[in-house]
Amino acid sequence: MRRRLDRQLDALAHGVPSAAGPIRYLRQRRLALLRIPLGLLLVAGGILSFLPVLGVWMLPLGLLLLAIDMPMLRPFITSAMIRVRRRLTSFRRRHR
């Protein structure tokens, strides 16, 4: 499952070139102590999205960061990433 997540993160970095640097940086093994609290904070911010400044965008980003270090989240996160990428591809093809 780790390789599947890595492939999805690579595809995300390829699809959003401005995010490639931060994605590459945050994937380093030594940054697990940064990723876990940051992921938890983003998830909490996503849950509190009704407050100003915080938004729903924080929830998937936090779950993605947590999935790098928590194997139990990887199947769900990678499946969701694949579904979103397929829908975006389908949407782009229809609206050309």
Side-chain angles (χ1 to χ4, degrees):
M1 282 319 240
R2 175 70 187 219
R3 287 183 299 197
R4 189 176 179 197
L5 179 63
D6 287 338
R7 284 193 309 266
Q8 294 307 311
L9 289 170
D10 290 338
L12 179 64
H14 180 71
V16 185
S18 61
I23 289 172
R24 190 177 326 113
Y25 178 73
L26 287 172
R27 287 170 67 184
Q28 295 176 17
R29 291 218 183 263
R30 63 183 174 86
L31 292 177
L33 293 175
L34 173 68
R35 273 191 309 264
I36 293 172
L38 182 60
L40 291 172
L41 284 172
L42 286 168
V43 168
I47 291 171
L48 298 173
S49 64
F50 60 90
L51 297 172
V53 179
L54 305 177
V56 178
W57 63 268
M58 298 172 90
L59 188 60
L61 184 60
L63 289 172
L64 180 62
L65 282 176
L66 289 174
I68 294 172
D69 296 310
M70 297 182 172
M72 65 199 140
L73 288 177
R74 287 182 195 151
F76 305 109
I77 300 303
T78 54
S79 301
M81 289 179 74
I82 290 168
R83 266 186 265 123
V84 167
R85 286 183 54 224
R86 285 181 182 162
R87 286 185 181 164
L88 280 173
T89 303
S90 171
F91 178 79
R92 287 179 184 148
R93 285 182 184 153
R94 278 191 308 231
H95 291 89
R96 277 190 187 172

